[in-house]
Amino acid sequence: MIVAEQKPLKEIIAMTSPFKKLLIVGCNECVTVCHAGGRKEVEQLAAALAMAAQKDGRPLEIKEVTLERCCDPEYIEQVRPFIDQYEAVLSCACSVGTQYFADTYPTKWALPALNTSFMGGSLAQGIWAERCAGCGNCILHETGGICPIARCSKRMLNGPCGGSTGGHCEVNPDIPCGWQLIWDRLVALGRTPDYAKIMAAKDWNTSRDGGPRKIVREDLTI
Amino acid sequence: MRLSYPANVLIIQIPCSGRIKTIHLLRALQYGADGVLVAGCREGECHFRTGNFRARCKVERVKEILDDLGLGADRVEMYNLSASMGPRFAEIAQEMTARIKELGPNPLRGPRPGENVAAALRPMVTQT
């Protein structure tokens, strides 16, 4: 899932203070699962912003709505009947959702309530970690199912580097060395000879180096 | 025991302190309560194992929000005591009331805050 976290409240208050009518929109997908922008978080943020406005003596009208998904035009359309009553949309979706609001409603301010962080999963309640960098050319079958792009700080294809100490990364001792994890997996799988294979330089055109990406599935388009 | 505690304390009963959600604490303050005291069971004695720890996490979160809003983190507090500790409850209610008096009234306070808070919160905490 896409993992995000709410921006500092003071930043959101500063961003929204010029507006008197605010539509706060949450998303039922990834940001609900990572407790950043679902219905509950929208409710809390709306209460906090209402309190901030009341304290400052500013009039503020808020409507809360949480859509099934904010990265799909059909759901973004659901706010069209009432969006004209509001000056701005405060999006509790990931930055994809915020941009969908900006694209769909060109005359409305689309404000981000979240910092969209990474693609990852949960390690335990309240803890999430990055697992995919979206490089566009998966090599997990060659690295024992551990991604060197997402989990090695240097994105090395033939690691580890000299900074790996006791299984930890030199960037931060709390980060496990991605290549140590790969080695441990290869040992567990009985595939240590695979480690000796030298990986060729990666073609980063499938990643961000090729510019913004798009996938077109002819069999699905109408 | 004939113990007394300040008459301005409004009690809202919940089945377990783990029932508390962040929004309940925010709503209480939004509707004009000067402070909120969460009384949960003693640590390690939760019938549902972690209810009181969860409540403490929520209280800490609300403290951060109140600090950001400039309302003062000390307006909410979590206390741990068992249901049989009547004297301790009276002591805590007095302690919290004294603290809130020092902080002054909630700037968001309107007329009849007690009635507003009760009307807003009681249905919320009984919702499934």
Side-chain angles (χ1 to χ4, degrees):
Chain A
M1 67 177 155
I2 290 177
V3 181
E5 59 181 344
Q6 197 181 89
K7 282 180 173 288
L9 187 54
K10 283 182 178 170
E11 190 180 334
I12 300 175
I13 292 171
M15 194 192 294
T16 55
S17 59
F19 304 104
K20 293 186 179 69
K21 291 188 170 190
L22 200 57
L23 179 64
I24 306 184
V25 186
C27 177
N28 265 340
E29 296 282 352
C30 315
V31 292
T32 292
V33 181
C34 67
H35 298 266
R39 188 178 55 80
K40 276 197 292 187
E41 291 74 30
V42 166
E43 194 178 32
Q44 288 164 22
L45 186 57
L49 292 180
M51 288 161 83
Q54 201 180 335
K55 181 170 170 282
D56 298 343
R58 283 185 283 117
L60 178 62
E61 184 188 324
I62 294 175
K63 182 178 173 71
E64 303 166 29
V65 59
T66 301
L67 303 179
E68 194 54 40
R69 194 156 59 237
C70 291
C71 51
D72 218 331
E74 68 178 281
Y75 296 107
I76 297 287
E77 281 297 325
Q78 290 175 346
V79 303
R80 193 176 290 281
F82 49 84
I83 196 166
D84 276 341
Q85 297 164 35
Y86 299 91
E87 295 168 349
V89 176
L90 178 62
S91 164
C92 291
C94 70
S95 69
V96 178
T98 309
Q99 291 180 69
Y100 263 65
F101 280 106
D103 283 347
T104 312
Y105 304 106
T107 60
K108 297 291 169 195
W109 276 100
L111 311 167
L114 308 186
N115 287 326
T116 306
S117 305
F118 51 77
M119 283 182 278
S122 93
L123 299 181
Q125 174 76 10
I127 304 171
W128 296 270
E130 185 168 13
R131 287 290 182 269
C132 179
C135 73
N137 187 6
C138 195
I139 52 169
L140 285 173
H141 57 295
E142 295 182 44
T143 57
I146 309 281
C147 177
I149 309 301
R151 305 196 64 183
C152 166
S153 299
K154 294 178 180 173
R155 303 191 288 179
M156 292 183 80
L157 288 172
N158 298 286
C161 70
S164 173
T165 311
H168 301 283
C169 176
E170 67 178 341
V171 168
N172 182 335
D174 292 336
I175 301 172
C177 167
W179 272 97
Q180 179 71 50
L181 296 174
I182 292 170
W183 172 255
D184 293 345
R185 274 287 287 166
L186 293 177
V187 169
L189 294 167
R191 298 281 298 269
T192 50
D194 286 5
Y195 179 73
K197 290 181 193 164
I198 303 295
M199 265 194 256
K202 192 173 174 65
D203 177 2
W204 291 98
N205 271 311
T206 56
S207 183
R208 285 285 303 151
D209 290 11
R213 293 164 282 177
K214 186 158 86 173
I215 293 173
V216 179
R217 281 273 305 269
E218 299 291 353
D219 57 326
L220 298 176
T221 55
I222 302 168
Chain B
M1 280 188 275
R2 295 185 183 280
L3 298 164
S4 65
Y5 60 88
N8 55 338
V9 176
L10 168 75
I11 297 200
I12 295 180
Q13 285 182 307
I14 48 173
C16 168
S17 61
R19 175 70 183 87
I20 295 272
K21 292 201 282 183
T22 308
I23 190 67
H24 296 146
L25 304 175
L26 290 176
R27 284 279 188 259
L29 293 150
Q30 188 182 3
Y31 286 94
D34 292 319
V36 186
L37 180 171
V38 178
C41 292
R42 293 201 293 186
E43 291 187 358
E45 293 181 7
C46 176
H47 182 71
F48 305 103
R49 298 175 63 124
T50 55
N52 46 5
F53 289 108
R54 286 173 190 273
R56 183 170 291 280
C57 290
K58 303 289 187 295
V59 168
E60 294 303 322
R61 173 76 186 118
V62 172
K63 277 177 175 286
E64 288 172 10
I65 294 173
L66 293 182
D67 249 348
D68 284 344
L69 291 174
L71 294 174
D74 287 344
R75 289 190 187 275
V76 288
E77 203 54 78
M78 170 90 193
Y79 289 93
N80 297 93
L81 69 162
S82 77
S84 61
M85 295 166 74
R88 177 65 184 141
F89 177 77
E91 195 179 288
I92 286 170
Q94 282 161 8
E95 193 180 300
M96 191 67 185
T97 305
R99 182 203 284 193
I100 298 299
K101 275 187 178 160
E102 210 163 292
L103 286 170
N106 177 355
L108 311 180
R109 188 178 193 167
R112 299 180 184 277
E115 283 175 29
N116 291 339
V117 171
L121 281 192
R122 287 205 169 113
M124 284 179 86
V125 293
T126 53
Q127 272 172 13
T128 52

